[in-house]
Amino acid sequence: MAGREDGYRHTEVRGTQDVAWAQELLDHLRPTGRDVHRVVAWLAEAVQGRASLQDDTGALLAGTRVPLDADLVADIVAGRIASAAWEGEGRHLRLVRVDRPALSSAGVLAVARTAPFDRRASDIVTHTVQVVELLLRAREASVAGRRLERATSDLRLAILQLLMVEDTVSARRVAAGLWPGLLDTDTACVFVLEGAAEERDRLAEECLDATEEQALVVRCPAMDGHVIVVTPGEAAGQALRSLIVRNPNTFLGGSARQSLARTATAYGQAVSALAVAHFRPDKAAVYAERTHPERLMDPAALREWTADVLHPLDTLPHHTRAELLATTRLGLEFTAVNAAKVLGVSRNTVRARMERVEGLLGTDFSDLTVRAAAHLALNTQIGLAEIPAARGTAQPAPTRLADLLTGTAVRAWAQDLLGRLDADARDLRRTLRTWIAAGGNSERAAQTLGMHAQTVREHVRGAEPVLERQLLAAGSDLYEVVLAHLAVGELEPPVLDRAKPGDPDSPVHG
């Protein structure tokens, strides 16, 4: 046995063969050749034997396994000896310790051959160990860096998911440890950048640089090509616009400023604006602050109606209630699959929570008028200063959705919006009304209209640019159009089949 001296041992190069193997070994340090497996395989070929690299547990890291004495390996791994030589049974064996500082452990490089180790073979083994150590350190540092990056990315996603379910207190606590002050704000904007899926990691890094890490940058869990940015500052929007100038085939959609509790609403606005950005020459769009129907309704009546619709959830524990409301809000805005990815739960969980809300409200979310009414209530609920106290029997009759939609301003808005469709000879208005009544099902609408389902889809798609709203993708835009049809009386108002106080048996209109 022999101990290896600390440091690198000087080797005199005396012939062209020595120059050749040294150059080949150095080539493995080039960026295109850094592979421990290739180095160990090269070593076996260079010494005309077998070579293996194993870690402190005996797991094979590279090469072909060589039978080794367990006690001898243990001494080398423990650092009692640095190297060993063994001869017997027609073979010659060299074992050398391979340090792995990043893991606070060591491995063993073993080389076996039938001929004795001459000076050339010994030098090759010694220098190969040095190269292997360098490559392992580089690889382990890279792995550690990727783990840290992945952990940081997961933490950003967790913060976003907390914001999506309105848990701003927990979101601030999680963010405070790594990004102090990031969420020390009452309001923020949400931006969504869209690019090629294979370029998303680079785009996310550019977003971090552009916002100087003063924004929450998240790789969207639902859409592979999307990067979500939650930013409290105004300057971030301009910085993100500069990215799409430098990156072809990249688009940007931004929300209006919202409270942190309305992050899910802001996200929906950003996605809606992103769709518009695809048709803009500058490839960017911010959600238009157009007239929304709820802003034309009597505020007190809207609060009364919202509290009444959501009253069955008031008996639930606060955490459960908030969870159901947030999940349902996202489930109405996006598909169950995408809502699940954003929230970090399974799609079955999303569906189960929404079914529970359906049961509590005594309604059916497959009806688009019901979905529009629930969407209105859920988004109004976010802005309520407080939920009104439980009503007594002396209270006046609860406000109905029909009452909210009969106001002069709301009806004028609805007639103006749907009137845009009247000029089209295809009677888009009739097709759209029938399609909504059929729950957004083109096949059922086609049977009613006596046309092909593809024609129905083309008519609905043709109405989108006229109304300046996305319809085939369920969400806020579609629900506004549904409310417009309800306001002008072209659709029956939704029915909520739950009992009201004092009238436990009769279904009532929402």
Side-chain angles (χ1 to χ4, degrees), residues 35 55 97 146 163 182 210 406 414:
D35 187 334
D55 64 15
R97 176 186 171 92
R146 286 196 297 271
L163 292 175
L182 177 64
T406 55

Side-chain angles (χ1 to χ4, degrees), residues 243-258:
L243 293 184
I244 61 175
V245 174
R246 301 197 304 266
N247 292 277
N249 301 319
T250 302
F251 304 89
L252 175 68
S255 75
R257 181 164 289 277
Q258 301 283 356

Side-chain angles (χ1 to χ4, degrees), residues 400-424:
R400 302 181 307 162
L401 178 60
D403 299 329
L404 298 174
L405 297 173
T406 55
T408 302
V410 177
R411 288 182 61 84
W413 164 81
Q415 289 169 350
D416 176 71
L417 178 65
L418 298 180
R420 302 178 195 176
L421 300 172
D422 294 340
D424 196 295

Side-chain angles (χ1 to χ4, degrees), residues 1-52:
M1 298 183 185
R4 186 181 68 180
E5 295 180 359
D6 291 338
Y8 297 147
R9 188 175 67 182
H10 174 70
T11 301
E12 182 183 356
V13 179
R14 297 178 295 175
T16 56
Q17 289 185 341
D18 290 331
V19 173
W21 73 255
Q23 185 60 53
E24 290 175 5
L25 182 57
L26 287 174
D27 285 342
H28 287 285
L29 292 175
R30 298 181 185 276
T32 56
R34 294 172 184 171
D35 187 334
V36 173
H37 294 272
R38 291 174 58 184
V39 172
V40 174
W42 172 87
L43 171 62
E45 182 179 353
V47 301
Q48 296 182 334
R50 298 167 61 196
S52 71

Side-chain angles (χ1 to χ4, degrees), residues 167-505:
D167 193 350
T168 57
V169 174
S170 296
R172 286 189 175 108
R173 286 174 180 170
V174 174
L178 288 178
W179 303 284
L182 177 64
L183 297 180
D184 290 348
T185 178
D186 294 327
T187 62
C189 294
V190 174
F191 292 89
V192 177
L193 287 92
E194 179 184 342
E198 60 272 15
E199 294 291 327
R200 183 170 69 165
D201 288 347
R202 181 184 58 79
L203 187 60
E205 290 300 322
E206 289 192 27
C207 288
L208 286 170
D209 292 339
T211 58
E212 298 179 345
E213 299 199 18
Q214 296 304 304
L216 181 66
V217 178
V218 180
R219 294 163 177 82
C220 179
M223 303 296 291
D224 291 340
H226 287 189
V227 176
I228 303 170
V229 181
V230 182
T231 171
E234 300 287 349
Q238 191 59 41
L240 295 174
R241 283 177 179 269
S242 69
L243 293 184
I244 61 175
V245 174
R246 301 197 304 266
N247 292 277
N249 301 319
T250 302
F251 304 89
L252 175 68
S255 75
R257 181 164 289 277
Q258 301 283 356
S259 68
L260 282 183
R262 294 183 64 112
T263 299
T265 299
Y267 172 59
Q269 291 180 350
V271 172
S272 179
L274 183 63
V276 176
H278 280 264
F279 303 98
R280 296 280 295 272
D282 59 353
K283 302 185 297 180
V286 175
Y287 188 74
E289 278 299 326
R290 62 195 179 212
T291 301
H292 299 289
E294 62 271 22
R295 296 183 180 180
L296 304 174
M297 300 175 185
D298 180 273
L302 180 58
R303 286 195 297 270
E304 172 74 15
W305 173 79
T306 297
D308 181 66
V309 168
L310 301 180
H311 181 65
L313 282 76
D314 292 350
T315 58
L316 299 174
H318 175 75
H319 174 74
T320 302
R321 182 178 185 276
E323 185 178 69
L324 291 178
L325 290 176
T327 301
T328 303
R329 190 176 299 113
L330 279 176
L332 292 174
E333 196 73 44
F334 307 102
T335 66
V337 173
N338 285 348
K341 290 178 180 178
V342 170
L343 292 172
V345 298
S346 71
R347 60 183 176 183
N348 289 335
T349 299
V350 170
R351 288 170 178 149
R353 291 176 183 174
M354 293 185 69
E355 287 172 1
R356 186 176 180 186
V357 173
E358 279 181 307
L360 289 168
L361 300 185
T363 193
D364 180 6
F365 286 154
S366 65
D367 186 327
L368 278 181
T369 61
V370 171
R371 292 175 72 90
H375 184 268
L376 174 63
L378 289 170
N379 281 281
T380 301
Q381 181 268 339
I382 299 177
L384 292 179
E386 59 180 6
I387 298 295
R391 304 174 183 81
T393 55
Q395 293 276 347
T399 301
R400 302 181 307 162
L401 178 60
D403 299 329
L404 298 174
L405 297 173
T406 55
T408 302
V410 177
R411 288 182 61 84
W413 164 81
Q415 289 169 350
D416 176 71
L417 178 65
L418 298 180
R420 302 178 195 176
L421 300 172
D422 294 340
D424 196 295
R426 294 173 293 177
D427 201 352
L428 298 183
R429 187 164 177 170
R430 172 172 173 262
T431 303
L432 182 57
R433 178 176 64 248
T434 307
W435 178 77
I436 292 174
N441 186 292
S442 299
E443 285 73 18
R444 289 204 301 268
Q447 291 177 356
T448 302
L449 294 167
M451 61 177 63
H452 196 278
Q454 183 59 32
T455 303
V456 172
R457 283 188 284 268
E458 289 174 357
H459 281 197
V460 175
R461 191 175 290 110
E464 290 183 328
V466 179
L467 299 176
E468 297 179 338
R469 285 162 174 81
Q470 294 186 92
L471 301 175
L472 290 172
S476 301
D477 286 359
L478 172 60
Y479 301 140
E480 284 190 5
V481 174
V482 174
L483 292 177
H485 280 87
L486 290 171
V488 298
E490 294 187 7
L491 288 174
E492 287 296 318
V495 175
L496 301 179
D497 292 326
R498 65 177 179 84
K500 298 286 185 180
D503 186 15
D505 299 321

